[in-house]
Amino acid sequence: LAQMVAGLTIGKKKYAAVEDEMKELSLKASALRRQLTTLVQRDADSYERVREAYAMPREPEAAAAARQAAIQDALIFASEIPLETARAAAAVAELAARVAERGNTNAATDAAVAALMAEAACKGAAMNVRVNVASLDSSRADVGAQLASNARACIDAAAVHARLAEAAAERAMAST
């Protein structure tokens, strides 16, 4: 949606002053869409890695230790992927807010919806980070806390940008 709104801005005489910015934002939106599409598969793969670790043998003792280490490594990996997703979603929210604020006012609500959807995606990804780090043992608790903290920062950033996009859409609707 953000890319669409940028596209609806490009080439319009009224928005000539922001045309270069909209072109740049359109390219960034396209790159983020590709990144997020890739992250969907990487997230599925990371879940498979967790599943395989839990399926490892529990006996003898050496196998149990290897299983536990594999589980911890897989949970961290399975937390890092949704954290990347949260970061990308927060970037989409920021981009959408910029498009809502400076792009074609006739489509500002579409840009706001993009920001709201990005905020929701960010929250969902952060929940995946939190559920995975909650299963880490005490030896990895510091790593888990850092991953969860980074996810929280992404949510906060996405929320700020979603509110800015909403405000821009409200201004655009009020001026029509």
Side-chain angles (χ1 to χ4, degrees):
L1 285 171
Q3 185 177 13
M4 177 193 80
V5 176
L8 291 171
T9 305
I10 296 167
K12 301 283 191 265
K13 191 179 202 181
K14 178 179 176 181
Y15 300 102
V18 296
E19 183 157 336
D20 288 343
E21 179 183 5
M22 291 299 127
K23 286 178 180 177
E24 175 190 337
L25 292 174
S26 181
L27 290 172
K28 286 182 179 180
S30 179
L32 284 164
R33 186 179 65 240
R34 284 190 307 276
Q35 179 185 3
L36 286 162
T37 300
T38 300
L39 284 165
V40 169
Q41 185 57 53
R42 289 184 62 208
D43 189 59
D45 294 343
S46 72
Y47 173 77
E48 183 62 22
R49 187 170 165 179
V50 171
R51 192 194 65 70
E52 288 172 358
Y54 275 107
M56 290 173 68
R58 298 172 190 245
E59 299 287 333
E61 192 174 316
R67 177 182 182 268
Q68 184 60 20
I71 289 169
Q72 298 303 300
D73 289 343
L75 287 169
I76 289 171
F77 182 72
S79 300
E80 291 169 340
I81 303 303
L83 179 56
E84 283 184 57
T85 302
R87 286 181 178 131
V92 169
E94 179 181 8
L95 186 146
R98 287 178 61 192
V99 171
E101 291 170 342
R102 299 176 50 81
N104 190 324
T105 56
N106 293 324
T109 56
D110 292 305
V113 169
L116 292 169
M117 290 172 40
E119 180 186 25
C122 186
K123 286 180 178 181
M127 289 175 89
N128 286 335
V129 172
R130 290 178 50 216
V131 74
N132 288 323
V133 301
S135 297
L136 291 172
D137 64 26
S138 61
S139 71
R140 308 283 180 100
D142 289 347
V143 173
Q146 187 60 51
L147 289 164
S149 175
N150 290 342
R152 179 75 240 172
C154 291
I155 291 172
D156 294 344
V160 165
H161 296 302
R163 299 304 75 78
L164 290 171
E166 284 180 300
E170 290 293 338
R171 285 190 303 276
M173 288 185 291
S175 70
T176 56

